[in-house]
């Protein structure tokens, strides 16, 4: 008996209800519809095609609304990447800088919102190249390893340590003694991780800190850390071999499927079974064993029970037959071994030599999937460091620790090395310049060193590095010291550092160390609108932050 489609009982009542409605519809008029006047006739003579395009644009919808423009005018604008602009203006559209220049030379749109600071100084947003903001004490005690990302554990502290934006800091690198540091954007309330910079550096601690230690003890610790990259070449080789085997498997499996697709439905040659003469070959595009229109052969009887196959049934039956053919060919290709005969009875030759040519003409053997490769997150991170995808950031204080870090860089060809809290960097400034390492300095304040570090003066290190040509950044190291970042740069100026170099050390240079200099660090067209406005020069002791813009958003506004 023919099956009734499931949707037919549902559609029949609907069609019955729709029939009288259709009967009541008026007949369509045979008269041609009068043509509407052309747009040119509506415009009147002399308007041309330009008016037609404008009309089409109005009919198609309004223009895309552009983002509003904000103009920030001030007495001085400090782009950092160029000279200071007196009576300057910064135009901001959305989250990017539209223009930077002198008032009167940069056209301000009439619809722009103007923020005027007659005595203000505009600077790029400050960048803190090392901070512990948004981390908990457990993280700072070294609870992470090289394969773990610090970005996964960041959280608000709900105290003054979260107030980086109010201090004019628009970008910060959050670090820990171990793990992978992250770049964040401090917000008015909270933070956001910089997209694509969730893993912005691998942290490594090559120091025991400011506590009494023997030189031999420190040497043993450094020797152990120098072996960080040992065994990585074997891991990399095993990974490459696996990828090579995987590529071969995919190629062989594709050939295996192609052979069966090409030979499906064919009888195996030499199987000894006569071909069925009653069944003619099926035309192209129709499975074998089917009649016209995809019908099964009519069973014995009157043929009333014959039923056409649906497309889904045809595909299912064809796939099942193909699978049976493949299994039969595999069984014929790999027959079960015969049971061993009684002792002393000579066994018949297997005939492998005679079957070599037959096997070559037979179906290919199904390829085996390669043994899975177990990835090590820690070693994957170390490989990323060696490939230059992220920098290696090493905390090293003393000169011997700094030299050990440089030795590890040379031994393993580490492309990007950043030395943190390098209080003894002035002693090895020449070696740093030769290796291309960069430095992040913290505690650049008078009397900031513990008793065991009295021999170091972090305030003089910036000038020594600048003279040697070593790129460096000045950072707070602690979220609670965020308001002191300009004061640290001013302290370095007091010890002989050029004021321009000091400003660069808290804006553009840290952006270069973090690899984000194309988007922030200076005031230039196309960069993110990260800027601060102060009531006087930034390095003045009584300078106050009036306004902070981060990625075009107001993050702080003083009274």
């Amino acid at each position: 008996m023919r099956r009734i489609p499931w949707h037919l009982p549902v559609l029949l009542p609907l069609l019955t209800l729709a029939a009288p409605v259709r009967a009541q519809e008026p007949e369509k008029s045979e008269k041609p519809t009068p043509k509407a006047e052309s747009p040119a006739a509506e415009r009147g003579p002399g308007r041309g095609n330009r008016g037609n395009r404008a009309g089409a644009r109005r009919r198609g919808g309004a223009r895309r609304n552009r983002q509003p423009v904000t103009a920030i005018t001030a007495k001085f604008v400090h782009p950092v990447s160029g000279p200071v602009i007196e009576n300057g203006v910064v135009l901001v559209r959305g989250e990017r800088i539209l223009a930077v220049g002198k008032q009167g030379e940069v056209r301000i749109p009439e619809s722009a919102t103007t923020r005027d600071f007659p005595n203000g100084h505009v600077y790029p947003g400050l960048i803190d190249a090392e901070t512990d903001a948004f981390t908990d004490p457990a993280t700072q005690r070294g609870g992470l390893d090289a394969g773990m990302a610090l970005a996964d554990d960041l959280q608000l502290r709900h105290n003054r340590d979260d107030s980086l934006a109010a201090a004019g800091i628009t970008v910060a690198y959050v670090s820990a003694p171990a793990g992978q540091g992250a770049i964040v954007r401090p917000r008015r309330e909270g933070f956001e991780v910089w997209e694509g910079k969730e893993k912005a550096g691998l942290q490594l601690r090559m120091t025991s800190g400011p506590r009494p230690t023997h030189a031999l003890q420190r040497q043993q610790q450094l020797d152990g850390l120098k072996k960080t990259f040992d065994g990585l070449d074997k891991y990399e080789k095993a990974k490459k071999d696996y990828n090579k085997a995987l590529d071969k498997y995919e190629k062989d499996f594709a050939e295996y499927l192609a052979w069966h697709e090409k030979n499906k439905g064919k009888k195996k040659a030499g199987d000894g079974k006569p071909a069925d003469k009653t069944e003619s070959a099926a035309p192209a595009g129709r499975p074998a064993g089917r009649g016209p229109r995809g019908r099964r052969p009519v069973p014995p009887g009157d043929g009333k029970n014959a039923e056409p196959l649906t497309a889904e049934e045809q595909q299912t039956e064809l796939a099942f037959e193909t699978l049976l053919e493949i299994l039969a060919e595999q069984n014929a290709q790999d027959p079960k071994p015969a049971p061993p005969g009684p002792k002393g009875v000579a066994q018949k030759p297997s005939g492998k030599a005679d079957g070599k040519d037959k096997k070559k003409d037979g179906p290919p053997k199904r390829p085996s999937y390669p043994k899975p490769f177990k990835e090590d997150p820690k070693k994957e991170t170390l490989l990323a460091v060696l490939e230059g995808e992220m920098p290696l950031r090493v905390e090293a204080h003393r000169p011997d620790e700094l030299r050990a870090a440089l030795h590890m860089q040379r031994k393993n060809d580490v492309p990007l090395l950043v030395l943190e809290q390098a209080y003894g960097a002035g002693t090895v400034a020449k070696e740093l310049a030769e290796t291309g390492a960069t430095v992040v300095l913290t505690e650049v304040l008078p009397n900031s060193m513990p008793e065991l570090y009295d021999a170091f003066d972090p305030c003089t290190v910036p000038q020594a590095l600048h003279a040697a040509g070593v790129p460096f950044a000045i950072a707070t190291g602690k979220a609670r010291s965020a308001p002191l970042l300009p004061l640290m740069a001013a302290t370095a100026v007091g010890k002989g550092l050029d004021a321009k170099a000091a400003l660069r050390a808290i804006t553009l240079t840290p952006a270069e160390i973090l690899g984000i200099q194309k988007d922030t660090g200076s005031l230039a067209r196309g960069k993110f609108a990260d800027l601060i406005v102060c009531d006087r020069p930034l390095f003045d002791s009584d300078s106050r932050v009036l306004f902070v813009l981060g990625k075009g958003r107001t993050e702080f506004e003083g009274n």
Side-chain angles (χ1 to χ4, degrees):
M1 182 176 180
R2 185 183 300 274
R3 291 177 297 178
I4 300 176
W6 65 270
H7 54 273
L8 194 57
V10 179
L11 294 177
L12 283 175
L14 296 178
L15 292 173
T16 305
L17 293 175
V21 176
R22 288 177 174 272
Q24 295 175 7
E25 290 181 356
E27 295 183 358
K28 293 184 178 180
S29 175
E30 300 294 335
K31 297 180 181 180
T33 304
K35 295 184 179 180
E37 293 185 5
S38 64
E42 295 179 1
R43 288 193 309 269
R47 295 298 297 272
N49 290 330
R50 295 186 61 184
N52 188 19
R53 286 198 296 270
R57 190 160 52 236
R58 285 194 295 270
R59 289 191 297 272
R63 285 186 177 182
R64 185 180 62 181
N65 292 329
R66 289 188 175 183
Q67 294 176 313
V69 175
T70 301
I72 300 173
T73 60
K75 186 176 182 180
F76 294 100
V77 174
H78 305 259
V80 175
S81 56
V84 178
I85 303 173
E86 188 173 359
N87 295 324
V89 58
V90 179
L91 293 184
V92 175
R93 173 182 289 161
E95 61 183 25
R96 298 279 179 174
I97 295 176
L98 184 61
V100 180
K102 193 176 182 63
Q103 297 181 37
E105 297 178 359
V106 175
R107 189 182 72 84
I108 300 177
E110 295 180 359
S111 60
T113 301
T114 301
R115 300 296 303 269
D116 186 28
F117 300 92
N119 299 314
H121 292 251
V122 181
Y123 297 91
L126 306 183
I127 300 178
D128 194 348
E130 182 188 351
T131 180
D132 62 356
F134 315 117
T135 61
D136 55 20
T139 302
Q140 292 301 323
R141 284 195 294 268
L144 303 178
D145 61 22
M148 302 175 68
L150 184 61
D152 298 333
D153 294 329
L154 298 181
Q155 58 186 326
L156 293 175
R157 297 183 183 180
H158 301 289
N159 55 29
R160 66 176 183 171
D161 292 346
D162 297 336
S163 303
L164 273 67
I169 296 175
T170 56
V171 178
Y173 176 84
V174 183
S175 66
Q180 303 169 33
I183 299 177
V184 301
R185 280 189 167 278
R187 300 293 310 275
R188 181 192 294 267
E189 296 180 358
F191 65 92
E192 67 180 23
V193 179
W194 189 298
E195 185 177 357
K197 292 295 182 178
E198 300 85 355
K199 301 176 181 180
L202 175 61
Q203 299 293 142
L204 185 64
R205 197 167 193 261
M206 297 188 70
T207 181
S208 56
R211 60 182 182 181
T213 55
H214 193 275
L216 182 58
Q217 180 184 0
R218 294 200 304 272
Q219 187 61 42
Q220 291 176 345
Q221 179 189 15
L222 296 177
D223 290 342
L225 291 171
K226 288 178 183 178
K227 299 178 181 179
T228 301
F229 295 91
D230 289 355
L232 200 59
D233 52 346
K234 295 181 180 179
Y235 176 83
E236 187 177 14
K237 182 179 182 302
K239 184 178 180 180
K240 290 181 178 179
D241 291 345
Y242 169 75
N243 291 332
K244 186 177 180 181
L246 189 61
D247 293 340
K248 184 178 184 302
Y249 166 79
E250 292 174 353
K251 179 182 177 182
D252 293 347
F253 193 74
E255 294 176 354
Y256 171 80
L257 291 179
W259 189 94
H260 284 288
E261 183 69 21
K262 181 179 178 182
N263 295 276
K264 64 182 177 182
K266 292 183 178 180
K267 297 287 185 180
K268 189 174 179 181
D271 58 0
K273 295 181 181 180
D276 188 0
K277 298 180 179 180
T278 61
E279 181 179 342
S280 59
R286 192 177 79 222
R290 302 290 190 276
R293 300 182 182 177
R295 297 178 182 271
R296 291 192 180 96
V298 180
D302 55 4
K304 294 182 179 179
N305 294 327
E307 177 186 350
L309 289 176
T310 63
E312 184 177 357
E313 289 175 334
Q314 292 180 23
Q315 292 177 1
T316 302
E317 189 165 344
L318 179 60
F320 183 71
E321 291 176 357
T322 304
L323 178 60
L324 291 178
E325 291 175 4
I326 294 176
L327 291 175
E329 291 167 357
Q330 287 183 348
N331 291 334
Q333 182 179 350
D334 300 321
K336 294 182 180 179
K343 293 183 179 180
V345 179
Q347 300 292 329
K348 293 182 179 181
S350 60
K352 286 185 179 179
D354 298 335
K356 284 184 179 179
D357 295 336
K358 294 182 180 180
K359 189 173 182 180
K360 187 178 295 184
D361 297 335
K365 186 176 180 181
R366 183 186 179 99
S368 300
Y369 194 83
K371 184 179 179 181
F373 176 79
K374 185 177 181 180
E375 287 193 352
D376 187 335
K378 180 178 178 180
K379 292 182 178 179
E380 288 293 326
T381 305
L382 292 173
L383 285 177
V385 169
L386 294 182
E387 292 172 2
E389 297 176 4
M390 69 169 66
L392 177 66
R393 296 181 62 115
V394 179
E395 180 184 348
H397 302 170
R398 302 177 176 90
D400 59 334
E401 297 166 349
L402 294 170
R403 289 191 176 96
L406 295 177
H407 174 76
M408 183 174 64
Q409 179 194 22
R410 289 190 293 265
K411 177 184 175 183
N412 299 283
D413 295 326
V414 178
L416 302 173
L417 176 65
V418 181
L419 299 172
E420 299 179 348
Q421 304 178 33
Y423 306 127
T427 308
V428 295
K430 185 177 179 180
E431 299 175 48
L432 294 173
E434 292 174 353
T435 60
T438 56
V439 178
V440 175
L441 298 170
T442 56
E443 308 293 343
V444 186
L445 291 171
N447 305 319
S448 60
M449 291 286 95
E451 184 178 353
L452 291 174
Y453 279 7
D454 282 344
F456 301 128
D457 185 4
C459 302
T460 61
V461 177
Q463 169 56 22
L465 296 177
H466 180 64
V470 179
F472 68 94
I474 298 176
T476 63
K478 301 176 182 178
R480 190 153 294 191
S481 301
L484 302 179
L485 183 58
L487 180 59
M488 292 182 182
T491 302
V493 174
K495 291 292 185 176
L497 181 65
D498 179 71
K500 293 182 180 179
L503 178 60
R504 203 180 197 281
I506 57 177
T507 54
L508 188 54
T509 301
E512 294 171 347
I513 293 175
L514 298 177
I516 54 176
Q517 70 275 14
K518 293 182 179 180
D519 289 315
T520 190
S522 63
L523 300 178
R525 176 183 173 86
K527 289 193 174 185
F528 284 128
D530 299 334
L531 60 86
I532 65 172
V533 182
C534 300
D535 61 346
R536 60 198 66 205
L538 182 63
F539 294 152
D540 285 5
S541 59
D542 54 351
S543 178
R544 188 166 58 94
V545 176
L546 301 177
F547 183 68
V548 177
L549 209 62
K551 208 175 179 180
R553 302 168 297 203
T554 301
E555 302 295 358
F556 175 78
E557 190 167 3
N559 298 328

